[in-house]
Amino acid sequence: MARKFPLHPAHPERICWGCDKYCPADSLQCGNGSGRTQHPAEVLGEDWYEYGDWGLEVEPEQKSLTLPEKG
């Protein structure tokens, strides 16, 4: 089962968002030879999911949630 893509992660700069592995930025596992892929909120702002077709089903209560940080 795929994880839900977080709308407002607590520290998006700490994770690579390029695939479903969500690797730490300093330990990429995909081996594509490039740097970390930024979260859309880092590039487009906090309301990034409201514009365009991202293929996400956003529920009203999810818009204001911030996911807890994983240790």
Side-chain angles (χ1 to χ4, degrees):
M1 185 166 100
R3 296 188 226 175
K4 284 190 174 185
F5 192 79
L7 300 181
H8 303 104
H11 294 282
E13 71 280 358
R14 296 181 184 176
I15 297 174
C16 177
W17 300 95
C19 67
D20 289 340
K21 294 181 181 179
Y22 301 135
C23 303
D26 60 353
S27 179
L28 302 178
Q29 295 177 14
C30 59
N32 66 5
S34 65
R36 153 186 108 78
T37 301
Q38 291 181 312
H39 188 278
E42 293 179 86
V43 181
L44 303 172
E46 291 297 317
D47 61 348
W48 65 272
Y49 54 88
E50 294 180 7
Y51 305 100
D53 184 13
W54 295 91
L56 299 173
E57 293 182 21
V58 180
E59 298 177 18
E61 66 272 1
Q62 191 179 7
K63 289 182 180 183
S64 63
L65 289 178
T66 302
L67 294 178
E69 200 176 323
K70 291 187 178 179

